[in-house]
Amino acid sequence: MSQQAAALQNYNNELVKCMEDLCSKREELNRQITQEEVEKDRLQHDIRVLTEKLSRVNESLAHRLAARANFDQTIAETQAAYTKILESSHSLLSVLKQETGNLSKATEPRRKDH
């Protein structure tokens, strides 16, 4: 029976060793899970921060795009008005030159034909 006791003790020792190995592997796995959960929490926090920042940037961008559209419209209207002013000035100058020429002819002394 001593051999059976020795074999039983041997099995018991192997069983204890296997259980210790399993517990050790479980502890290592648990450590890795904890690390990944911490990483996951950090990433979720970063995503929240970046999402909020993206929202603020989108809002700012929308305001700036609207302002730029207003600038574009004002510039286009001003350029159109300035073009009309130039055309009117050109027309006025032409009329003024023509009238000046007519007045000059009217005020010149008349020559007598011989």
Side-chain angles (χ1 to χ4, degrees):
M1 202 147 139
S2 155
Q3 279 185 333
Q4 286 180 336
L8 189 57
Q9 183 62 40
N10 214 11
Y11 294 146
N12 187 43
N13 289 343
E14 284 186 44
L15 181 61
V16 168
K17 185 178 182 297
C18 285
M19 288 296 293
E20 288 173 351
D21 286 347
L22 285 175
C23 286
S24 177
K25 287 179 182 179
R26 184 193 179 283
E27 286 176 21
E28 175 59 22
L29 183 60
N30 194 48
R31 186 189 62 76
Q32 292 172 352
I33 289 170
T34 301
Q35 283 180 333
E36 287 186 357
E37 286 173 340
V38 167
E39 177 69 5
K40 176 186 165 193
D41 290 344
R42 186 189 65 78
L43 290 172
Q44 286 177 330
H45 175 266
D46 290 351
I47 289 170
R48 276 192 304 276
V49 168
L50 290 173
T51 300
E52 290 169 5
K53 187 174 183 179
L54 178 61
S55 177
R56 287 191 303 271
V57 168
N58 281 334
E59 187 176 323
S60 175
L61 183 59
H63 289 303
R64 290 178 192 274
L65 288 171
R68 183 179 70 183
N70 287 336
F71 274 106
D72 290 344
Q73 182 179 358
T74 301
I75 289 168
E77 290 171 357
T78 303
Q79 286 175 334
Y82 183 70
T83 299
K84 286 181 182 179
I85 290 170
L86 287 178
E87 290 169 355
S88 296
S89 295
H90 183 263
S91 296
L92 179 61
L93 182 60
S94 295
V95 169
L96 186 59
K97 284 181 180 179
Q98 184 179 2
E99 289 299 316
T100 301
N102 290 342
L103 289 174
S104 293
K105 288 180 185 176
T107 59
E108 286 180 2
R110 294 185 185 237
R111 287 196 243 162
K112 294 182 183 178
D113 289 329
H114 287 77

